[in-house]
Amino acid sequence: GAVVSQHPSRVICKSGTSVKIECRSLDFQATTMFWYRQFPKKSLMLMATSNEGSKATYEQGVEKDKFLINHASLTLSTLTVTSAHPEDSSFYICSASLLPGQGARNIQYFGAGTRLSVL
Amino acid sequence: GEDVEQSLFLSVREGDSSVINCTYTDSSSTYLYWYKQEPGAGLQLLTYIFSNMDMKQDQRLTVLLNKKDKHLSLRIADTQTGDSAIYFCAESIESGGYNKLIFGAGTRLAVHP
């Protein structure tokens, strides 16, 4: 149980285009989903927290107009990298936590990640 | 402030025990976690420990928590080549009604024959 699917696993795009990454909780409902960015051989940096039906909360230094997050349902959150540039190339990972009452609310289950390469 | 630190690299012989250490700074952390990441993949939750516990054992994994020193360790018994991966320690911080994870930089475990 508690499977998180992230799609696509890899994307290569031209500079200036927008890329959408999907994060789905397959067998549970997630009140909260998180988006992280991981640089090579570095730790995960939290970019934003999204709650179903409300605006995402962005961490300091993360441009909300650059990284658009939508959490339209309890099983789907999307991250759109707008007008991507080479410096946006990175590994993006999402996670989801369970609804209250469904288990340990503090546990985050992670997707497999999306490697974005901007040419 | 919020900070989690881990040593970056550990090399062990197959069959030996591995011990990965972590220190954290926020004494209000309610949960502490160990995640495993294999190359090009997401994070797999290995185990977690509630802050009022000293030890948790799950098959080959043993987690020790010293809350006074804010020190967490993960021991892997009978380490196998399949255990080679990056191991992340994380603390849980309550922020704005949800729990935010603060990760260490990860410890790369290399298992050799």
Side-chain angles (χ1 to χ4, degrees):
Chain A
V3 177
V4 175
S5 170
Q6 192 172 336
H7 179 79
S9 57
R10 177 153 194 176
V11 58
I12 301 171
C13 68
K14 291 183 181 178
S15 188
T17 59
S18 294
V19 174
K20 182 186 280 188
I21 302 169
E22 291 188 349
C23 181
R24 291 181 186 272
S25 55
L26 296 187
D27 51 0
F28 67 100
Q29 291 180 315
T31 187
T32 307
M33 289 186 172
F34 303 84
W35 288 96
Y36 294 84
R37 182 171 179 176
Q38 187 179 28
F39 293 97
K41 298 184 180 178
K42 298 286 185 186
S43 186
L44 280 75
M45 288 178 48
L46 180 64
M47 297 173 66
T49 302
S50 80
N51 289 287
E52 184 264 340
S54 62
K55 289 185 180 179
T57 302
Y58 289 81
E59 294 298 300
Q60 194 171 10
V62 178
E63 299 176 59
K64 58 180 69 175
D65 294 330
K66 173 79 172 171
F67 299 101
L68 299 178
I69 290 171
N70 183 273
H71 193 155
S73 75
L74 286 171
T75 59
L76 173 65
S77 176
T78 60
L79 168 67
T80 301
V81 183
T82 62
S83 186
H85 290 281
E87 58 266 30
D88 299 324
S89 299
S90 195
F91 193 56
Y92 293 87
I93 309 178
C94 73
S95 71
S97 59
L98 296 170
L99 282 176
Q102 287 190 339
R105 183 166 171 257
N106 300 278
I107 302 293
Q108 289 185 27
Y109 297 93
F110 284 79
T114 298
R115 183 159 302 283
L116 171 63
S117 300
V118 185
L119 305 177
Chain B
E2 307 155 352
D3 195 18
V4 177
E5 295 196 358
Q6 312 176 228
S7 52
L8 295 182
F9 189 75
L10 176 66
S11 177
V12 299
R13 187 177 298 177
E14 191 174 12
D16 287 351
S17 292
S18 308
V19 179
I20 303 171
N21 294 300
C22 168
T23 56
Y24 61 97
T25 55
D26 196 313
S27 57
S28 66
S29 295
T30 50
Y31 288 88
L32 295 128
Y33 305 83
W34 285 104
Y35 283 89
K36 176 183 179 183
Q37 184 180 36
E38 298 188 21
L43 272 67
Q44 172 195 353
L45 177 65
L46 283 179
T47 187
Y48 64 94
I49 188 166
F50 191 51
S51 59
N52 68 353
M53 297 169 65
D54 299 322
M55 187 189 87
K56 180 178 180 182
Q57 187 162 1
D58 184 3
Q59 299 183 328
R60 292 191 298 125
L61 304 178
T62 303
V63 178
L64 295 178
L65 174 61
N66 181 329
K67 199 171 178 182
K68 175 176 168 289
D69 294 339
K70 299 192 188 72
H71 182 268
L72 183 74
S73 68
L74 173 69
R75 178 177 180 270
I76 306 173
D78 187 25
T79 313
Q80 302 298 307
T81 54
D83 295 324
S84 295
I86 301 175
Y87 291 80
F88 289 96
C89 166
E91 61 173 342
S92 172
I93 307 288
E94 177 77 28
S95 175
Y98 58 86
N99 286 286
K100 179 170 124 171
L101 291 182
I102 308 297
F103 286 88
T107 299
R108 184 176 296 273
L109 174 65
V111 183
H112 56 89

